[in-house]
C-alpha cells in the first residue's frame, strides 16, 4: 500500500504491472504509462488540495492503463492521448476529459468516462464496454457522442440494459468511495447521484454493427 501526498506527480510507469494486493493513491497526478499492463490491485490518481485548500489536477499522461488486464483504476482528472488502449479486463473510471484515441483495440474490461471522451475513440475495439456520460448542457448528446468514434469503428451506442447499468453503478460507487475518503464529500455525492439512474445518465459502447465514417482516424 502506497499513498503519495498533496501535490505529488508520480513519474512514468507508476503502477506498471501492478498485481493483486497492491493499492496506490496519488493526490496530484501521474505521468505517462501509469498502470500499464496492470494485473490487479487498485490505483487512484485523485485531485490534491492546493495552498488554499482547493482540489486541483488529478490527471494522468499518455497511454494510461495500456493493456491493463485486471484491477480497478481511478482517475479523477483528465487523461492524455490513448487512454486505456488495448484494455483487456481491468475496470477504469475517468472523472475528467480524455485527449483522443482512447480505447483503441480494446478487447475486454469496463471503462466509465464522466468527462469528454475525446475524438477518434474505439478504433479496433473488439470486446469490453465503455460507458459515456450524457451531458446535453455541454453539447454531449447521443449524436455528439457518436461523432467521437474513429473512422470505421465497428461499435454500437445505446442505453445500458439492467445488468450493464448495475455494473456501471457498482464501479461508480467504488470510485465515489475513494473520492470521499480523500475529503471531497460534495464530489462523491455528485457521482453517487449518477448511480440512481445509470440508464438515463449514460450510454454504453459495445462492439457491434454500427460503423461510423469520420474524416480523421489516426494521428
Amino acid at each position: 500500500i502506497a499513498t503519495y501526498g498533496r501535490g505529488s506527480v508520480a513519474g512514468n510507469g507508476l503502477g506498471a504491472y501492478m498485481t493483486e494486493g497492491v493499492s496506490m493513491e496519488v493526490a496530484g497526478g501521474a505521468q505517462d504509462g501509469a498502470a500499464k499492463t496492470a494485473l490487479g490491485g487498485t490505483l487512484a490518481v485523485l485531485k490534491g488540495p492546493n495552498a488554499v485548500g482547493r482540489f486541483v489536477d488529478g490527471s494522468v499522461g499518455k497511454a494510461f492503463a495500456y493493456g491493463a488486464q485486471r484491477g480497478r483504476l481511478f482517475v479523477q482528472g483528465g487523461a492524455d492521448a490513448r487512454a486505456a488502449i488495448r484494455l483487456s479486463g481491468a475496470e477504469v473510471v475517468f472523472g475528467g476529459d480524455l485527449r483522443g484515441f482512447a480505447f483503441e483495440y480494446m478487447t475486454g474490461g469496463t471503462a466509465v468516462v464522466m468527462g469528454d471522451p475525446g475524438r477518434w475513440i474505439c478504433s479496433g475495439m473488439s470486446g469490453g464496454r465503455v460507458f459515456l456520460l450524457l451531458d446535453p448542457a455541454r453539447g454531449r448528446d447521443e449524436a455528439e457522442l457518436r461523432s467521437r468514434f474513429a473512422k470505421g469503428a465497428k461499435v454500437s451506442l445505446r442505453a445500458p440494459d439492467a445488468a450493464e447499468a448495475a455494473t456501471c453503478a457498482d464501479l461508480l460507487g467504488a470510485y465515489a468511495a475513494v473520492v470521499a475518503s480523500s475529503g471531497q464529500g460534495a464530489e462523491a455525492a455528485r457521482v453517487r447521484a449518477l448511480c440512481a439512474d445509470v440508464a438515463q445518465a449514460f450510454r454504453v459502447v459495445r462492439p457491434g454493427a454500427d460503423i461510423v465514417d469520420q474524416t480523421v482516424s489516426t494521428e
Side-chain angles (χ1 to χ4, degrees), residues 4-22:
Y4 298 82
R6 183 177 74 181
S8 296
V9 177
N12 293 339
L14 174 73
Y17 306 100
M18 61 189 288
T19 61
E20 291 296 340
V22 175

Side-chain angles (χ1 to χ4, degrees), residues 164-174 194-196 198:
E164 291 164 337
T167 295
C168 183
D170 177 67
L171 194 49
L172 285 172
L194 296 173
C195 299
V198 169

Side-chain angles (χ1 to χ4, degrees), residues 166-186:
T167 295
C168 183
D170 177 67
L171 194 49
L172 285 172
Y175 169 79
V178 172
V179 171
S181 71
S182 72
Q184 301 179 73

Side-chain angles (χ1 to χ4, degrees), residues 120-125 146 149-155 208-217:
W120 314 298
I121 66 174
C122 299
S123 175
M125 180 182 179
R146 289 179 188 276
F149 295 142
K151 180 180 180 179
K154 298 179 181 180
V155 295
D210 294 353
I211 299 178
V212 180
D213 186 11
Q214 298 297 329
T215 301
V216 180
S217 62

Side-chain angles (χ1 to χ4, degrees), residues 114 133 169 172 189-199 201-202:
M114 287 180 280
L133 179 65
L172 285 172
R190 183 187 73 84
V191 175
R192 289 190 178 108
L194 296 173
C195 299
D197 197 350
V198 169
F202 287 87

Side-chain angles (χ1 to χ4, degrees), residues 56-151:
V56 297
D57 198 10
S59 61
V60 294
K62 291 180 174 62
F64 178 82
Y66 179 103
Q69 298 178 30
R70 294 181 294 278
R72 282 190 163 179
L73 312 169
F74 303 125
V75 177
Q76 189 178 3
D80 207 339
R82 291 192 158 91
I85 66 171
R86 299 190 184 278
L87 192 74
S88 60
E91 298 176 306
V92 188
V93 177
F94 296 101
D97 299 338
L98 310 185
R99 293 290 296 276
F101 304 96
F103 314 115
E104 289 181 326
Y105 309 112
M106 180 174 172
T107 61
T110 302
V112 180
V113 183
M114 287 180 280
D116 189 326
R119 297 288 179 182
W120 314 298
I121 66 174
C122 299
S123 175
M125 180 182 179
S126 61
R129 52 202 167 185
V130 178
F131 294 91
L132 304 177
L133 179 65
L134 292 168
D135 194 348
R138 292 179 171 83
R140 290 201 299 275
D141 56 13
E142 282 198 30
E144 180 63 18
L145 292 178
R146 289 179 188 276
S147 77
R148 306 306 174 90
F149 295 142
K151 180 180 180 179

